[in-house]
Amino acid sequence: MINEISFPGLFDHVFHVNEVAFTVFGKDIMWYGVIITLGFMAAVLYAMPRCGFFGWTEDDIIDGVIWCLPAAIIGARAYYVIFQWEYYREHLNEIIRIWDGGLGIYGAIITTSITVYFFCKTHKGDILGAFDMVCMGFLLAQGIGRWGNFFNREAFGAVTDSFLRMGLTDIFGFTTYYHPTFLYESVWNAAGFLLLHFASKKRKYDGQVAL
C-alpha cells in the first residue's frame, strides 16, 4: 500500500511511502522489520570494536546476540499481548503471529536486561560493564528503529500546525497534520547515544554510563 506523507514546514515534497520493502516467495517483507533489523545490527557493530573497553571480547558479543535476540522478540511480543489481552484471550491462535504486527519496545528492554544479567553470570563477565555497553546500543538501535513508524504511519502525536508537522493523507485525499513523535524520539535517542558515547570514554567506574 502506498501512503502519502508530507512535512510542509520542512520540505516542499510529498513522500509516497510503501510499507512493503520487498517480497520473498510471496511473503511481503515490511520496511518496519527491515529498519528494526538495521537498528539491531548497528548496535552490534557499534559494540564489536568497543567491547574490550568494557571488559568483553567480540566472541562474547556474538554469544550475547544469540542469547538476547530471541529474548528481545519474545519480550516485545509478550508486552504487547499482555496490554491487549482483552483481544488476545479471544484469539489465542494469534498470539505468536508477530508478522501481523504488535511489538512493545519496553518488553524487549525488560527481557533483554534480564537476559544480559544471566548471560554475564554464566560467562563470569563484568555485569556493569556489559550494561554500560548495552544501554548505548539500545539508544542507537531505537533511534534507527523508530523510522519504522514512519513507513507504518504510526506513533504520531496530537494534531498541530507546528512547522515540524507531519501530514498524513487518507484514502479520500484529506490531509491531517500531526506531531511526528517518532521523529522526536529518534532525534532524542540519537542525541543521547552521542552524549553517552563520548562520555563513556571518560568513565571512572563500571556502570557509570548505564547509571
Side-chain angles (χ1 to χ4, degrees), residues 2 6 34 44 49 65 68 72 86 98 100 122 131 151 164 168 197:
I2 305 297
S6 60
V34 171
V44 173
V65 169
C68 293
E86 289 296 319
I98 62 172
D100 288 336
T122 300
F131 276 111
F151 286 90
L164 292 171
L168 302 181
H197 167 75

Side-chain angles (χ1 to χ4, degrees), residues 28-201:
D28 289 338
I29 306 299
M30 314 303 285
W31 273 114
Y32 185 86
V34 171
I35 291 174
I36 287 180
T37 301
L38 291 175
F40 182 83
M41 291 174 60
V44 173
L45 292 174
Y46 170 78
M48 293 292 272
R50 297 208 66 201
C51 58
F53 183 73
F54 297 96
W56 293 89
T57 68
E58 292 188 359
D59 286 342
D60 292 327
I61 298 300
I62 299 301
D63 288 345
V65 169
I66 295 173
W67 279 54
C68 293
L69 182 56
I73 295 172
I74 292 170
R77 183 58 173 175
Y79 188 95
Y80 182 85
V81 169
I82 289 170
F83 283 91
Q84 300 292 332
W85 186 243
E86 289 296 319
Y87 174 82
Y88 283 104
R89 70 179 181 181
E90 303 294 336
H91 304 83
L92 296 178
N93 62 311
E94 296 184 20
I95 289 178
I96 65 171
R97 295 177 62 86
I98 62 172
W99 50 88
D100 288 336
L103 299 172
I105 185 62
Y106 309 109
I109 291 174
I110 292 169
T111 54
T112 301
S113 297
I114 293 171
T115 303
V116 168
Y117 174 81
F118 284 105
F119 175 83
C120 293
K121 284 289 189 180
T122 300
H123 287 68
K124 296 180 172 56
D126 181 2
I127 296 174
L128 294 178
F131 276 111
D132 280 345
M133 187 168 52
V134 168
C135 72
M136 290 188 287
F138 268 133
L139 285 173
L140 177 59
Q142 183 75 342
I144 296 171
R146 271 303 176 204
W147 281 91
N149 301 128
F150 169 76
F151 286 90
N152 276 8
R153 297 186 6 139
E154 63 186 5
F156 51 83
V159 173
T160 183
D161 59 359
S162 164
F163 77 97
L164 292 171
R165 64 191 181 278
M166 173 176 66
L168 302 181
T169 303
D170 61 25
I171 59 175
F172 302 106
F174 184 76
T175 301
T176 305
Y177 296 97
Y178 302 92
H179 278 290
T181 46
F182 82 90
L183 174 60
Y184 300 162
E185 183 178 349
S186 178
V187 172
W188 276 114
N189 280 320
F193 165 73
L194 290 174
L195 175 65
L196 292 184
H197 167 75
F198 290 109
S200 70
K201 296 182 178 182

